[in-house]
Amino acid sequence: MKKSYDVILVGAGMVGALTANLLAQQGFHVALVDKGNGQCDLSTLPFYDARVSAVSRHSKALMDRAGAWQRIPSERLTPYHNMQVWDGLGRGEIGFSCDDVHLDELGHLVENQVLNQALLAQLETYPKQVDSFFACSVSHYQKQEHGMQVTLDNGQTLHADLLIAADGANSFIRAQAQIETKEWDYQHNAIVATIELSRSHENTAWQSFGEEGILAILPMPSFEGRHFASIVWSVPPEDAKDLLELDNDLFCKRLNYAISNEFEVLDVLTKRLSIPLRQRHALHYVQTGLALVGDAAHTIHPLAGQGANLGFADAGALVDVLIKAKERGESLSNERVLRRYQRNRMSDNIRMSASMEFFKRLYETQNPIAVFARNTGMSWMNKQRLVKNHIITLALG
Ligand SMILES: Cc1cc2nc3c(=O)[nH]c(=O)nc-3n(C[C@H](O)[C@H](O)[C@H](O)COP(=O)(O)OP(=O)(O)OC[C@H]3O[C@@H](n4cnc5c(N)ncnc54)[C@H](O)[C@@H]3O)c2cc1C
């Protein structure tokens, strides 16, 4: 039997699950399809999951609006008040503080699984609005006169006005729609893991750029007097391979060196993962009856922790466009309607991608003149309150 919805949403990751919540809240009927089983795998404290996200204030507001933020257990949430960035090849450093912009925090660190679980749990409060199809993939889809017909790999057929692809960086739907991407390899892998520190991280996100790569030390909640952080260490692929092969003791020594001994790293609590990094940007986010959100539309270097935040902003913008279209009696599949979403988001996303590319290249060079100019620039900027406040405002989303 064919089932009909307003929206078929493929992908129940953080961005898809937020989009589904925002739609359901507004009375849209949603079919949510994901090849996973819809269960989040929460680790036991203090073995925080290695995949975490720095969530901006704007993203938090969207989660709040969806009713999901309130579901995140406080013991798995770390507000960060400061960001301290330094150049490992010189004396340049720059610090950002929430006090400078009169806010309680700059953002929060949260494990991806925890965030996703909160979003999926909130979705269960809309049993009339949302049907979930877990452990299912889309076999194919077809544009029809009114909307989209989607066939799942279990043989079920769904129909909706709009198909939203939130199926991640290697989006099957984007490929089927033949939407081209502009993409290149960053020639970096991110090593991620949870580590134990000798002292408190002081609710500060630390980031070092240097010959050892780009290393972020992201504060995680302290537990029974012990202190933890998540690392995102971006290095060339051959260095990543070497780092994965080191035993824990040697890995900690390399980490200590890379963070200029700001902390003593006592141990690594999780398996070290190595994630290849690639810049991708879809040339179009929409077609008649189809919209891309999150990593399906764009992926960027994680050096500023903005990828998911851009995806959450996509979700908010798309849902707002759909709410207005519904109020005006416009079809959700109309490409003219969907282009409003693309117009709203594409320039912000491109600007952020370009900034990541700029920073990656800026800090990659070890040319002494460039390193001197970079360090001088950082020290100068550290004294420019207005410029720094502007940067904070952008990062807050
Ligand atoms: C090392 C690293 C650190 C990062 N740190 C940050 C950070 O601090 N802050 C930040 O904002 N961002 C960060 N990011 C980016 C962030 O992780 C991603 O942007 C975000 O996870 C993308 O979410 P998504 O829901 O779009 O995609 P995904 O998380 O990839 O979800 C896609 C979903 O679609 C499902 N799916 C895929 N294919 C199919 C299919 N064919 N059929 C059905 N279902 C399918 C999958 O099962 C999955 O559930 C980081 C990225 C990396 C690599």
Side-chain angles (χ1 to χ4, degrees):
M1 199 185 73
K2 189 160 82 178
K3 290 186 138 193
S4 284
Y5 298 90
D6 295 313
V7 173
I8 299 169
L9 216 161
V10 182
M14 295 189 290
V15 175
L18 174 66
T19 314
N21 270 292
L22 295 173
L23 285 169
Q25 197 179 47
Q26 294 297 324
F28 288 95
H29 285 99
V30 181
L32 180 63
V33 180
D34 197 289
K35 64 182 180 183
N37 62 8
Q39 302 297 317
C40 296
D41 189 13
L42 257 54
S43 59
T44 322
L45 296 182
F47 296 92
Y48 300 102
D49 198 71
R51 295 295 313 265
V52 307
S53 292
V55 176
S56 71
R57 289 174 62 89
H58 180 254
S59 299
K60 173 180 178 271
L62 283 168
M63 303 281 168
D64 250 334
R65 173 175 145 191
W69 190 258
Q70 302 78 328
R71 289 180 174 273
I72 300 176
S74 59
E75 66 273 18
R76 303 205 79 137
L77 204 53
T78 322
Y80 62 98
H81 304 141
N82 312 296
M83 270 176 64
Q84 195 63 34
V85 182
W86 74 96
D87 191 327
L89 289 177
R91 289 161 175 264
E93 61 179 329
I94 183 162
F96 301 95
S97 164
C98 59
D99 295 338
D100 295 340
V101 280
H102 310 291
L103 293 171
D104 292 337
E105 75 277 316
L106 293 176
H108 288 82
L109 263 305
V110 57
E111 295 151 273
N112 292 2
Q113 291 283 329
V114 171
L115 199 55
N116 216 10
Q117 193 197 43
L119 286 161
L120 292 176
Q122 178 63 12
L123 212 49
E124 285 176 12
T125 61
Y126 304 105
K128 293 198 177 125
Q129 246 63 47
V130 182
D131 285 341
S132 298
F133 298 85
F134 287 124
C136 287
S137 297
V138 173
S139 293
H140 59 270
Y141 73 85
Q142 223 177 350
K143 276 187 190 143
Q144 299 201 309
E145 197 184 335
H146 298 290
M148 292 287 202
Q149 179 165 300
V150 169
T151 307
L152 302 182
D153 58 357
N154 65 5
Q156 256 181 307
T157 307
L158 312 175
H159 182 273
D161 294 338
L162 178 63
L163 174 61
I164 300 180
D167 52 347
N170 298 310
S171 170
F172 170 80
I173 304 289
R174 185 187 68 220
Q176 293 301 301
Q178 299 185 336
I179 297 180
E180 282 180 45
T181 54
K182 189 161 191 222
E183 57 182 87
W184 62 87
D185 212 297
Y186 280 122
Q187 290 300 315
H188 262 179
N189 277 38
I191 306 274
V192 296
T194 305
I195 58 169
E196 181 165 358
L197 301 171
S198 56
R199 67 171 177 90
S200 166
H201 43 57
E202 298 160 7
N203 288 72
T204 299
W206 306 80
Q207 181 127 11
S208 134
F209 294 85
E211 59 186 347
E212 292 290 310
I214 304 172
L215 174 61
I217 311 270
L218 307 168
M220 299 305 289
S222 294
F223 184 79
E224 294 179 343
R226 294 163 65 192
H227 307 291
F228 304 94
S230 174
I231 56 161
V232 180
W233 192 356
S234 305
V235 291
E238 55 283 8
D239 294 355
K241 192 166 164 284
D242 292 346
L243 285 172
L244 283 191
E245 281 166 5
L246 296 177
D247 65 29
N248 263 8
D249 275 357
L250 281 175
F251 184 75
C252 289
K253 283 194 179 118
R254 285 285 295 276
L255 253 180
N256 280 328
Y257 176 67
I259 58 177
S260 318
N261 295 312
E262 282 280 342
F263 298 98
E264 190 191 344
V265 178
L266 300 178
D267 201 0
V268 184
L269 275 76
T270 56
K271 196 167 178 281
R272 292 165 240 155
L273 306 175
S274 173
I275 303 166
L277 301 176
R278 200 166 169 78
Q279 137 80 38
R280 264 186 214 88
H281 202 270
L283 298 190
H284 308 282
Y285 295 177
V286 301
Q287 281 179 354
T288 301
L290 174 68
L292 311 179
V293 289
D295 276 17
H298 43 74
T299 58
I300 58 171
H301 198 290
L303 68 88
Q306 289 295 336
N309 288 310
L310 296 182
F312 297 143
D314 292 349
L318 176 60
V319 173
D320 287 346
V321 163
L322 298 178
I323 293 168
K324 287 221 172 72
K326 192 175 165 190
E327 281 167 6
R328 292 188 191 126
E330 294 172 307
S331 163
L332 304 186
S333 62
N334 187 329
E335 191 176 346
R336 200 167 40 83
V337 169
L338 296 173
R339 274 208 224 109
R340 292 174 199 149
Y341 153 66
Q342 176 171 300
R343 269 199 302 279
N344 183 317
R345 291 300 307 146
M346 197 178 248
S347 53
D348 273 3
N349 292 337
I350 289 177
R351 207 175 308 132
M352 187 62 81
S353 304
S355 313
M356 294 311 102
E357 190 60 30
F358 170 76
F359 281 114
K360 184 192 169 256
R361 288 188 191 193
L362 179 69
Y363 285 98
E364 212 163 43
T365 179
Q366 299 196 4
N367 174 312
I369 297 171
V371 170
F372 174 75
R374 189 172 77 196
N375 276 275
T376 311
M378 266 176 112
S379 303
W380 174 82
M381 202 189 294
N382 200 27
K383 294 181 199 125
Q384 311 305 311
R385 185 172 275 257
L386 286 177
V387 182
K388 281 192 349 181
N389 289 359
H390 182 64
I391 295 172
I392 297 177
T393 313
L394 290 178
L396 298 180

